[in-house]
Amino acid sequence: MKIDMKQPILQKNDAIAAELRARFAEHHVFVLDLLASPGSGKTSTILATIDALRDEFNIAVIEGDIASNVDAEKIKAQGIAAVQINTGGACHLESAMIKRAVDVLDLERLDLIIVENVGNLVCPTDFDLGENAKVMILSVPEGDDKPLKYPGVFQVAEAVVLNKVDTLPVFNFDREAFEASVRQLNPTAPIFPIAATKGDGVEEWATWLAERVRAI
Ligand SMILES: Nc1nc2c(ncn2[C@@H]2O[C@H](COP(=O)(O)OP(=O)(O)O)[C@@H](O)[C@H]2O)c(=O)[nH]1
Ligand SMILES: [Mg+2]
């Protein structure tokens, strides 16, 4: 006998995600789910994105981490509402966690919620959070072979951010090979090369996101 545990968990998750999606649509809030490894620059990219878009949109951030509130404090220091979720060991966020976080946010006031998922290229891929788009970040030091090794996250992403391009001169990162692998997995997702901490390329990425936010 084979017992499938994944299917019932995902069904429950998807039901709550559908409720959330309806709630976000009702309030015209765009929700972005950011997926990436630990240290790839999720928080840095969120801070740069806030800088680029805060004049036009009211933004809040939901921070997912196994432990600590380090990232939420960094966001709050910029005067942006941030809710920290500690998963206590779980390697991804689930829709029930987002539901609890959203209850403390003023959806009526917000245009954009950015979710920093738990740093992991595998687990968060399967979990619908009621978001409008999943976007993944890969950073140059992680290597150009990651699309081949973690295809799922590149397939679910509506855009791919290549962060830390300022470090290209010191890493053996083949950008053409990387882009060809991404294209094979995901023919439509735009690829945005950025250096989150320096600002390079952030405008192009933020313009893409702003167009998506305005469209809802
Ligand atoms: N050189 C360089 N370092 C970066 C860049 N983006 C992030 N970092 C650094 O990478 C480390 C991890 O960044 P962080 O945003 O905390 O990554 P997270 O764990 O994915 O949220 C920090 O020391 C950042 O300063 C970048 O574009 N270039
Ligand atoms: Mg972070």
Side-chain angles (χ1 to χ4, degrees):
M1 193 172 103
K2 185 176 159 206
I3 302 172
D4 183 350
M5 295 302 292
K6 194 174 170 188
Q7 217 43 41
I9 291 171
L10 286 182
Q11 275 166 10
K12 193 170 159 227
N13 182 79
D14 288 354
I16 298 171
E19 280 172 33
L20 281 172
R21 187 164 281 116
R23 206 163 140 199
F24 295 143
E26 185 194 333
H27 292 281
H28 303 281
V29 183
F30 187 94
V31 179
L32 173 71
D33 181 17
L34 267 186
L35 314 182
S37 309
S40 57
K42 294 179 295 302
T43 307
S44 305
T45 301
I46 291 170
L47 289 169
T49 307
I50 287 170
D51 248 7
L53 299 182
R54 67 184 303 159
D55 289 345
E56 181 174 358
F57 303 117
N58 283 316
I59 306 172
V61 176
I62 297 175
E63 286 290 349
D65 280 294
I66 286 174
S68 93
N69 59 355
V70 172
D71 283 353
E73 291 306 318
K74 283 185 193 162
I75 304 294
K76 282 186 201 162
Q78 300 308 310
I80 296 289
V83 185
Q84 180 77 53
I85 298 172
N86 283 148
T87 64
C91 57
H92 59 269
L93 291 173
E94 296 185 13
S95 54
M97 302 174 189
I98 298 296
K99 191 174 171 183
R100 287 182 58 194
V102 163
D103 282 341
V104 302
L105 292 172
D106 182 3
L107 287 187
E108 203 44 61
R109 225 195 96 249
L110 291 174
D111 306 306
L112 169 64
I113 298 175
I114 305 177
V115 179
E116 176 170 348
N117 216 311
V118 179
N120 189 315
L121 288 182
V122 185
C123 310
T125 310
D126 285 334
F127 288 83
D128 185 358
L129 304 181
E131 75 280 342
N132 297 82
K134 288 193 191 296
V135 166
M136 76 93 44
I137 304 175
L138 188 86
S139 62
V140 166
E142 293 169 78
D144 55 63
D145 58 352
K146 293 304 167 289
L148 304 174
K149 298 176 93 169
Y150 302 95
V153 66
F154 288 88
Q155 281 165 326
V156 301
E158 286 187 36
V160 174
V161 173
L162 177 64
N163 189 32
K164 307 194 187 181
V165 291
D166 55 307
T167 68
L168 278 166
V170 290
F171 286 97
N172 209 0
F173 188 97
D174 184 338
R175 218 162 129 179
E176 269 179 36
F178 169 73
E179 286 178 12
S181 308
V182 173
R183 276 294 142 262
Q184 228 177 350
L185 293 165
N186 190 333
T188 54
I191 300 170
F192 296 105
I194 73 164
T197 48
K198 309 239 155 89
D200 314 17
V202 171
E203 196 181 329
E204 288 79 359
W205 148 246
T207 299
W208 177 86
L209 180 59
E211 276 169 16
R212 298 287 311 263
V213 177
R214 278 182 219 119
I216 60 146

